[in-house]
Amino acid sequence: MTNTDSLKPAERGFVEFWRAADGHVLNGRDPGLAAARRSAIERFAEVGLPPEKSEAWKYTNIRRLVEAWAGTDPVAEGPDPGPVDGLFLVPGDAWRVVMVNGRFDEARSALAGLPSGVTVASIAEGASSRPEVFARSFGATRPEGADGFVALNTAFAQSGLFVHVPRGTQLGRPIEILFLSGSERRGFVQPRVLFVADEGSSARIVENWRSFGEGAVFTNAVSEFLVARDAAVDHVRIVDEHASSVHVHYLQARQLGSSTFSTVSFVFGGGTVRSDAYLLPDAEHCETHLNGFYFARGSAQVDNHTLVDHARPNCESNELYKGILDGQATGVFNGKVLVRQDAQKTNAYQSNKSVVLSETARMFSKPELEIYADDVKCSHGATTGRLDDDAFFYLRARGIPPAKARLLLLQAFSGDVFETVRDEALRERLLARLEALLYA
Amino acid sequence: MLEIKNLHARIEESGTEILKGIDLVIRPGEVHAIMGPNGSGKSTLASVLAGREGYEVTDGSVTFDRKDLLELEPDERAREGLFLAFQYPVELPGVSMSNFLRQAVNSVRAHRGEDELSSVDFLRTMKEKAAYVQLDPSLKQRSVNEGFSGGEKKRNEIFQMAMLEPRLAILDETDSGLDIDALRIVADGVNRLRSRDRSFLVITHYQRLLNYIVPDFVHVLVGGRIVKSGGRELALHLEEQGYDWIREEAVGA
Amino acid sequence: MSTTGTDFLQQVADSDYKYGFVTDIDADTAPKGLTEDTVRLISSKRNEPDWMLEWRLKAFRHFQSLQASDAYPGWAHLRYEIPDFQDISYYSAPNRKPKYESIDEVDPKLIDTFNRLGIPLHEQKLLAGVAVDVVMDSVSVATTFKEELARHGVIFCSFGEAIERHPDLVRRYMGSVVPYTDNFYAALNSAVFSDGSFCYIPAGVRCPMELSTYFRINEAGTGQFERTLIIAEEGSYVSYLEGCTAPKRDENQLHAAVVEIYAHKSAEVKYSTVQNWYPGDADGRGGVFNFVTKRGLCAGDDAKISWTQLETGSAVTWKYPSVILKGDRSVGEFYSVAFTKGRQQADTGTKMIHLGRDTRSTIISKGISAGRSQNAYRGLVRVNKGAENARNFSQCDSMLLGDRCGAHTFPYLEINNPTAQVEHEATTSKVGEDQIFYCQQRGISEQDAIKLIVNGFCKEILAKLPMEFAVEAQKLLAIELEGSVG
């Protein structure tokens, strides 16, 4: 372990908390997990938090935000959230998992009737009950490594969630994971999800992120997805947290041959919401869909970073992010499509569109293409503007009141992202949430 | 002029055999029509003759004016006088028609040992030949096929044929997607170019085109083989009876 | 693509540089190294007034502070060894005589150099209607058509001459668009620049001819640090073109220029560049490091600044010709073709900063990469709070010739005003096999087909160049593509 004297205060604080908690709070029975934690804290000490002027954090001063949580115990358990029934989003039949401050709450979860062989457990439990799956999967989604936040999460990941869908198993119902984060004053939570879909399996996952309690919570979450050959995973992620929250999230997905991974994220609420999606179609004939919708108002900031890393030939990716910014909100989109030299015959599309409603809202968009293979079709586009005046006038000329006309146009603008949610009932719930936000 | 013997060809990527032994002789001045149902190998034949990548000849030979056609690069075939009117003409953004055709015409002329056309002569010829198919002379400023309507693209193919004066022209479903007026214009253009030493291979699904471009011979291609040959009347018969009777006959034989 | 196509692309990738000769001319070259004394030496060699020296020294101190704080601009998509700033000579003048009264005094060898480059210096032989300023290594050696221009009140001369004869204009405008604090290389240039071109168009004057500067690096181990300053008064118009070449050298040569354009109300400046510095050999040895800061300010309402560039040379290119749209209804344009081959690296694009109301900008960038080169577009469109109704349209297309090169697009769109409409589109593709086949079927060889298609890809940009140079530019591109010598 490195000497902590050379570290900056923010990093030093985490390393010291880790040392204090190692061995008792951060126990777990699995030696592999313990080793992964130890090397992660070392890596964190080495790379640290993103430096102030780093390109990846150009518009979000994350170091300042982390410093505001200085001294907050990152292993504290936090208060009880109380009843959770009204918080689920997926109507009808679904398996339900409740995570409280990053810890798997088995008592509140409803997992009866899972097909045999499917594991839904805490990470520590998964590591011991499915050691072979854990060993090949944990931390295996991003070969080149992400920034310090992922290392920090790995070092502190407590309990977390481990889902394993064995070969050929089709999960007929979605799994909704309700992530509740709350504290009395300040909380720092680091939920971790490891999701492994083996060959030929299929699954639908809904992540539902909510706040409770009065305190402000900093979330540093990591969700890893391994999608094996011929598997299909459909993932929806909704962040609807308190305006005082800071939410940093890493989605990392690695796909093998002929698999499909679809993910769509919705940001409806939160103080600062930073999402980092890293998608690696790591074998031929993968299909990747990456979509997102963001709504921000007040002084909220939504920062979406995506990287589709085409490393193999004959894959296809589609990416569409759309957002609406009001008040003094700030939107950031930085999407990169990377096509490596071997990834011939890649088809990759990326688009980012934003509507700015107020004089004081801002949007920073940076769609990037980085291409090293010649036989590819790649394109990207970005537009930012306000609502179309002509269309607005047209609706009003048909007798539609301004607020309703605005809503109609904004719904029309956002529609294609919501369309990517395949579960119709869930889509209706999300559209209703959008309407409530826009009408407010 | 063109002699195809026992030609077998398959798609390189999938290995699917499409042409399964074609024999065909075209003499100077003759117009041959090849008809056949979808998927019979008509367009593959055109592609193989023109030298498009993605096909592999597995057996047989093709000689063109006593040269082994299959040994030649696509541009060498064109310079030898083989012209393909594409079923789906390709767009070349930013490449003007005049620049494109000047390079094409001059490379063909150079191959024949002729001098380059002067700018004045070239533009005059362009104007004259464009009139064959009623193309607007302003097309010389436009990018090749870019923003052309379907009918314009097909007329443009015939116009290019007129400019390049080939010995053998292959028309690959030139009639597809054309209304009757456009079809007539295209056919008139082709008929003006018929001559004693220029031959045509007209590939079509319908006999409609052959009302306007009257062939000397009609061949029916089914399953990668020519299953029947005859005169003009064969086309009319096909129009009435469809392809089924031929298929049956072929199976029966 | 068939083997012949691959061979051709190989040739493109390896093609030779046609302007790579060295002219054997006596030069007055300062010893290598950069200290305050170097700055003083340059200033005194050029008999500059004190205010100029003071400005240089301020810039030099800023440069030193940037060096001390490791503020090197390392963010670009480029890999190269940072130049050793102590291993460069910062001043080299052909011949001992710093200025020429007439063209007849110019060393005949130098005239021969420019004839070989296709730039005859004798006025009677000049391209009709183009005034040329020639900058060799660091010093302006000849400016043509001066009298003719003077009749219209247009000042077109070397930067040194402008310091001497038009000090008020220089003091007022120098650094007003690109301050020496702007960036690392702008600071370096401001400290050590040796010469460059100066151009002033009075109010209401439409400059009667194209103005043109040709830059040539000749001496080994020297850097070229020229400055160009263009001032367009109210309602004036000028079209300006620069061309650049350098000899083949095994070591890298540094070119760090600054171009400033100041456009007053309703003025229009069109600035075109044909950049063909030595790109280095096929293995990436030698070649020019082209680190240039170019910026225009639309200071007045209805002003317009348009950048057009054809970039085919340099081992490493780092440049972003930009426009600050301060005046209401002002217009900024950027049209670029960047062709890289061999081991060349380019990170180039633009910045459009919208400050005024109803401002408009257009960006069209075409990148073509061959060989083992890396070609990146990097552009910023920023709409500030007060910039009501700003409009931007950007289009960045890349074409890849071969499978060992890279094409990248890094646009930054920063929108701080809801009335803005900003649109960005980009595509990356290769020359289509069906397109090549179509051309071949018309008798055109595969090589010619690729040239034809690449030229078509760039056409709308080349058409923006002034007529006299559009043809030249097209030829240059064809030569670059062909890979043949001469």
Side-chain angles (χ1 to χ4, degrees):
Chain A
M1 191 79 223
T2 42
N3 186 348
T4 53
D5 295 350
S6 60
L7 298 174
K8 291 183 182 159
E11 281 87 348
R12 191 164 60 225
F14 285 115
V15 173
E16 282 165 359
F17 270 117
W18 190 89
R19 281 184 181 167
D22 186 23
H24 58 280
V25 185
L26 292 173
N27 44 14
R29 282 161 300 173
D30 186 69
L33 186 55
R37 270 202 195 106
R38 198 169 312 116
S39 69
I41 196 69
E42 273 164 23
R43 181 170 152 77
F44 174 73
E46 194 184 307
V47 298
L49 295 165
E52 219 151 291
K53 281 183 181 164
S54 78
E55 182 69 17
W57 292 86
K58 192 176 162 89
Y59 303 104
T60 302
N61 190 342
I62 198 66
R63 183 170 275 278
R64 210 196 53 210
L65 290 169
V66 174
E67 280 163 5
W69 265 262
T72 310
D73 181 355
V75 290
E77 221 170 295
D80 186 280
V84 299
D85 287 348
L87 299 174
F88 292 103
L89 274 172
V90 181
D93 266 359
W95 288 292
R96 304 192 199 280
V97 175
V98 176
M99 305 283 294
V100 178
N101 288 334
R103 291 166 171 85
F104 176 46
D105 186 337
E106 202 166 356
R108 286 188 165 97
S109 302
L111 293 163
L114 272 175
S116 69
V118 174
T119 308
V120 178
S122 74
I123 285 188
E125 205 182 305
S128 21
S129 68
R130 289 272 184 282
E132 162 281 319
V133 177
F134 180 81
R136 69 176 149 93
S137 314
F138 190 67
T141 46
R142 192 165 194 170
E144 287 172 17
D147 61 27
F149 278 110
V150 174
L152 187 64
N153 174 288
T154 308
F156 281 96
Q158 277 174 289
S159 176
L161 187 69
F162 174 92
V163 180
H164 174 232
V165 184
R167 190 180 165 134
T169 305
Q170 321 296 319
L171 286 185
R173 288 183 253 161
I175 299 176
E176 176 172 358
I177 310 167
L178 175 63
F179 291 89
L180 290 169
S181 308
S183 72
E184 272 143 19
R185 289 191 55 252
R186 274 182 187 280
F188 197 99
V189 302
Q190 307 203 64
R192 174 76 167 229
V193 175
L194 174 61
F195 189 98
V196 183
D198 277 350
E199 199 171 318
S201 65
S202 70
R204 284 178 289 157
I205 312 299
V206 178
E207 290 185 28
N208 178 6
W209 291 82
R210 304 289 279 269
S211 308
F212 69 93
E214 299 302 309
V217 175
F218 192 118
T219 300
N220 171 33
V222 175
S223 307
E224 286 190 281
F225 288 84
L226 273 123
V227 186
R229 263 178 71 90
D230 298 314
V233 172
D234 190 279
H235 173 243
V236 182
R237 182 162 189 283
I238 301 115
V239 178
D240 201 348
E241 297 186 330
H242 288 172
S244 60
S245 72
V246 176
H247 186 109
V248 175
H249 178 264
Y250 287 77
L251 167 75
Q252 302 184 165
R254 182 174 183 189
Q255 290 178 255
L256 295 181
S258 307
S259 63
T260 303
F261 183 69
S262 304
T263 176
V264 54
S265 93
F266 294 88
V267 177
F268 292 131
T272 297
V273 182
R274 158 74 179 226
S275 306
D276 217 295
Y278 173 79
L279 302 186
L280 175 65
D282 203 12
E284 289 194 52
H285 303 291
C286 290
E287 214 182 287
T288 308
H289 302 278
L290 170 60
N291 300 292
F293 172 81
Y294 43 96
F295 174 81
R297 64 180 166 198
S299 56
Q301 170 138 350
V302 181
D303 184 343
N304 277 301
H305 271 232
T306 69
L307 171 55
V308 182
D309 186 350
H310 280 287
R312 311 286 173 200
N314 295 307
C315 294
E316 187 179 322
S317 66
N318 285 295
E319 177 172 0
L320 173 65
Y321 270 76
K322 283 190 168 182
I324 299 169
L325 302 163
D326 203 353
Q328 288 171 295
T330 302
V332 180
F333 173 80
N334 184 347
K336 182 186 277 195
V337 174
L338 171 62
V339 180
R340 296 181 192 260
Q341 205 171 341
D342 290 339
Q344 295 291 359
K345 309 263 182 210
T346 294
N347 280 346
Y349 301 94
Q350 182 199 65
S351 174
N352 172 230
K353 294 183 178 179
S354 307
V355 169
V356 183
L357 296 177
S358 71
E359 293 294 323
T360 43
R362 302 182 299 165
M363 179 67 209
F364 303 111
S365 180
K366 188 185 170 203
E368 301 175 60
L369 297 175
E370 190 171 336
I371 293 167
Y372 298 92
D374 64 334
D375 192 3
V376 298
K377 276 190 198 133
C378 300
S379 66
H380 68 198
T383 61
T384 299
R386 61 176 168 188
L387 277 184
D388 184 349
D389 288 341
D390 295 338
F392 188 66
F393 177 74
Y394 186 85
L395 290 175
R396 295 203 59 196
R398 294 289 175 270
I400 297 166
K404 183 75 185 161
R406 197 181 83 141
L407 176 67
L408 275 175
L409 290 174
L410 290 172
Q411 282 171 331
F413 165 78
S414 324
D416 43 4
V417 178
F418 286 80
E419 283 301 311
T420 65
V421 176
R422 270 177 236 159
D423 184 332
E424 211 172 310
L426 174 61
R427 191 196 312 148
E428 290 303 321
R429 296 283 295 266
L430 298 175
L431 283 167
R433 177 69 182 132
L434 174 67
E435 185 166 341
L437 285 169
L438 292 175
Y439 239 0
Chain B
M1 172 183 283
L2 181 80
E3 187 169 4
I4 304 173
K5 275 188 186 158
N6 189 33
L7 182 66
H8 286 70
R10 66 181 181 196
I11 297 173
E12 234 166 52
E13 202 163 291
S14 63
T16 315
E17 190 171 48
I18 307 285
L19 302 181
K20 300 171 179 169
I22 304 256
D23 291 283
L24 181 66
V25 175
I26 299 177
R27 292 179 197 82
E30 290 177 354
V31 175
H32 290 245
I34 291 206
M35 300 184 68
N38 289 331
S40 59
K42 302 190 300 286
S43 285
T44 299
L45 177 62
S47 293
V48 168
L49 292 177
R52 191 194 286 270
E53 273 187 44
Y55 298 96
E56 190 189 347
V57 173
T58 51
D59 200 3
S61 65
V62 181
T63 53
F64 181 56
D65 282 343
R66 285 180 296 280
K67 289 199 176 80
D68 181 353
L69 190 71
L70 301 176
E71 281 296 299
L72 301 178
E73 289 293 315
D75 47 319
E76 291 169 331
R77 299 181 198 201
R79 280 178 238 142
E80 289 291 337
L82 183 140
F83 181 90
L84 172 65
F86 283 62
Q87 185 180 1
Y88 304 108
V90 178
E91 296 183 2
L92 303 175
V95 178
S96 71
M97 278 298 295
S98 56
N99 189 10
F100 172 71
L101 269 178
R102 195 192 307 266
Q103 288 206 29
V105 168
N106 285 333
S107 58
V108 170
R109 290 179 68 92
H111 183 72
R112 292 178 190 152
E114 296 166 358
D115 288 340
E116 287 198 355
L117 278 183
S118 72
S119 287
V120 177
D121 285 343
F122 179 77
L123 290 176
R124 193 172 33 79
T125 315
M126 253 185 99
K127 202 172 160 189
E128 180 192 319
K129 303 276 166 92
Y132 282 20
V133 283
Q134 300 179 24
L135 268 180
D136 188 332
S138 70
L139 99 163
K140 64 176 188 285
Q141 310 292 351
R142 292 167 66 182
S143 295
V144 178
N145 291 323
E146 198 185 38
F148 283 40
S149 71
E152 275 181 319
K153 282 183 182 168
K154 295 298 174 79
R155 282 188 276 154
N156 190 18
E157 294 294 290
I158 306 305
F159 161 60
Q160 292 178 40
M161 183 203 296
M163 290 298 291
L164 292 169
E165 300 178 328
R167 302 257 293 118
L168 171 69
I170 303 167
L171 276 54
D172 187 8
E173 309 231 5
T174 299
D175 52 335
S176 66
L178 291 187
D179 64 32
I180 194 71
D181 292 330
L183 184 72
R184 206 174 278 146
I185 293 169
V186 164
D188 285 351
V190 172
N191 288 328
R192 285 187 74 156
L193 294 167
R194 285 178 78 157
S195 77
R196 194 177 308 175
D197 46 29
R198 179 170 299 141
S199 315
F200 289 84
L201 182 62
V202 181
I203 292 173
T204 180
H205 187 79
Y206 304 103
Q207 88 90 32
R208 184 177 73 147
L209 178 67
L210 305 180
N211 289 335
Y212 300 95
I213 303 172
V214 180
D216 302 306
F217 302 95
V218 174
H219 311 277
V220 183
L221 191 64
V222 175
R225 281 193 200 90
I226 291 176
V227 294
K228 197 165 187 68
S229 296
R232 158 103 225 270
E233 66 291 344
L234 179 56
L236 294 168
H237 199 74
L238 282 169
E239 172 93 333
E240 280 165 29
Q241 310 275 328
Y243 288 104
D244 289 346
W245 64 277
I246 297 236
R247 278 202 193 102
E248 281 154 23
E249 229 182 71
V251 171
Chain C
M1 198 172 293
S2 73
T3 28
T4 53
T6 316
D7 291 349
F8 172 60
L9 295 180
Q10 184 64 43
Q11 282 175 34
V12 169
D14 300 343
S15 84
D16 215 351
Y17 184 68
K18 134 180 187 190
Y19 306 96
F21 54 85
V22 179
T23 311
D24 183 18
I25 291 176
D26 283 348
D28 180 8
T29 304
K32 285 179 177 177
L34 179 57
T35 62
E36 194 167 308
D37 287 343
T38 321
V39 177
R40 289 179 190 278
L41 174 80
I42 293 166
S43 193
S44 80
K45 282 265 183 201
R46 306 185 49 75
N47 300 316
E48 285 175 355
D50 287 347
W51 59 263
M52 191 65 245
L53 176 62
E54 280 313 309
W55 197 76
R56 284 178 183 277
L57 290 172
K58 272 194 263 175
F60 179 67
R61 280 165 209 142
H62 182 69
F63 176 74
Q64 281 184 312
S65 75
L66 289 175
Q67 269 196 312
S69 61
D70 265 340
Y72 191 82
W75 40 261
H77 191 90
L78 301 168
R79 272 189 199 169
Y80 58 90
E81 208 164 301
I82 296 173
D84 178 352
F85 296 99
Q86 297 305 333
D87 194 35
I88 292 171
S89 166
Y90 288 84
Y91 184 78
S92 170
N95 232 321
R96 276 187 187 77
K97 201 165 177 193
K99 267 183 282 175
Y100 302 91
E101 293 307 320
S102 100
I103 204 89
D104 302 326
E105 288 181 40
V106 175
D107 188 330
K109 279 183 195 156
L110 192 64
I111 292 181
D112 181 53
T113 302
F114 284 93
N115 284 338
R116 286 168 72 182
L117 293 170
I119 312 155
L121 293 184
H122 288 286
E123 294 192 8
Q124 66 272 24
K125 290 183 196 157
L126 281 174
L127 295 164
V130 180
V132 182
D133 183 29
V134 165
V135 178
M136 175 102 147
D137 289 337
S138 294
V139 172
S140 172
V141 291
T143 310
T144 62
F145 279 114
K146 263 182 164 162
E147 288 82 18
E148 163 79 12
L149 290 168
R151 271 202 296 280
H152 295 269
V154 173
I155 303 168
F156 182 40
C157 63
S158 72
F159 210 93
E161 192 180 326
I163 293 170
E164 189 183 326
R165 297 196 189 166
H166 311 286
D168 295 347
L169 286 174
V170 174
R171 290 183 80 165
R172 178 167 167 206
Y173 289 101
M174 183 178 63
S176 66
V177 186
V178 181
Y180 63 77
T181 49
D182 190 78
N183 68 67
F184 190 85
Y185 280 103
L188 176 63
N189 174 287
S190 302
V192 303
F193 79 91
S194 22
D195 210 339
S197 290
F198 176 86
C199 169
Y200 175 84
I201 317 291
V205 170
R206 217 185 140 79
C207 186
M209 61 186 76
E210 304 278 347
L211 302 185
S212 166
T213 303
Y214 266 86
F215 295 101
R216 173 85 180 162
I217 297 178
N218 195 54
E219 279 300 306
T222 60
Q224 178 143 336
F225 306 94
E226 83 279 357
R227 263 191 108 83
T228 301
L229 176 57
I230 298 172
I231 303 150
E233 291 282 10
E234 184 170 336
S236 66
Y237 168 84
V238 64
S239 169
Y240 194 97
L241 183 119
E242 62 167 1
C244 329
T245 56
K248 288 179 170 186
R249 299 270 184 206
D250 279 347
E251 82 273 22
N252 295 111
Q253 284 173 297
L254 178 61
H255 173 249
V258 169
V259 176
E260 295 180 273
I261 300 175
Y262 199 103
H264 286 274
K265 189 170 180 241
S266 303
E268 181 178 348
V269 178
K270 191 175 149 76
Y271 195 104
S272 311
T273 303
V274 176
Q275 185 267 106
N276 190 26
W277 296 117
Y278 177 53
D281 68 11
D283 299 321
R285 259 192 310 273
V288 171
F289 284 174
N290 191 33
F291 299 152
V292 175
T293 306
K294 288 180 167 176
R295 192 176 303 147
L297 172 64
C298 287
D301 295 349
D302 301 294
K304 177 176 177 183
I305 293 174
S306 179
W307 300 99
T308 305
Q309 58 176 27
L310 170 62
E311 303 277 318
T312 61
S314 299
V316 178
T317 298
W318 177 95
K319 77 180 241 198
Y320 314 92
S322 308
V323 184
I324 299 169
L325 298 150
K326 188 172 166 216
D328 292 346
R329 295 174 303 283
S330 58
V331 176
E333 295 174 336
F334 174 76
Y335 303 112
S336 169
V337 171
F339 178 86
T340 54
K341 62 180 199 286
R343 304 249 178 187
Q344 278 177 279
Q345 303 177 67
D347 192 301
T348 182
T350 184
K351 291 190 229 175
M352 294 290 174
I353 312 293
H354 291 257
L355 305 176
R357 304 170 67 93
D358 301 304
T359 46
R360 279 185 292 136
S361 62
T362 306
I363 298 168
I364 301 180
S365 160
K366 306 272 184 178
I368 303 145
S369 337
R372 291 171 179 270
S373 68
Q374 298 296 332
N375 197 329
Y377 166 83
R378 184 183 305 275
L380 168 68
V381 175
R382 180 186 291 150
V383 178
N384 277 30
K385 260 194 172 27
E388 292 288 308
N389 293 313
R391 298 281 175 272
N392 161 268
F393 175 74
S394 310
Q395 185 189 330
C396 306
D397 297 325
S398 306
M399 188 175 259
L400 290 140
L401 305 176
D403 56 6
R404 288 171 303 168
C405 46
H408 319 297
T409 316
F410 305 116
Y412 298 68
L413 314 175
E414 302 185 350
I415 315 303
N416 298 294
N417 185 304
T419 59
Q421 268 184 28
V422 174
E423 255 179 87
H424 170 94
E425 288 172 13
T427 61
T428 300
S429 57
K430 69 169 191 167
V431 178
E433 275 166 26
D434 55 341
Q435 292 177 318
I436 294 174
F437 178 65
Y438 190 78
C439 294
Q440 282 188 292
Q441 215 305 304
R442 300 300 182 250
I444 299 167
S445 71
E446 188 162 6
Q447 302 190 13
D448 287 343
I450 293 172
K451 274 197 267 178
L452 202 60
I453 294 162
V454 171
N455 251 308
F457 176 71
C458 306
K459 192 174 178 179
E460 61 176 316
I461 305 298
L462 300 182
K464 304 276 181 195
L465 287 169
M467 185 83 103
E468 295 83 349
F469 300 101
V471 179
E472 196 180 321
Q474 214 162 37
K475 274 190 203 147
L476 175 62
L477 195 59
I479 290 168
E480 291 297 318
L481 275 165
E482 198 154 69
S484 62
V485 184

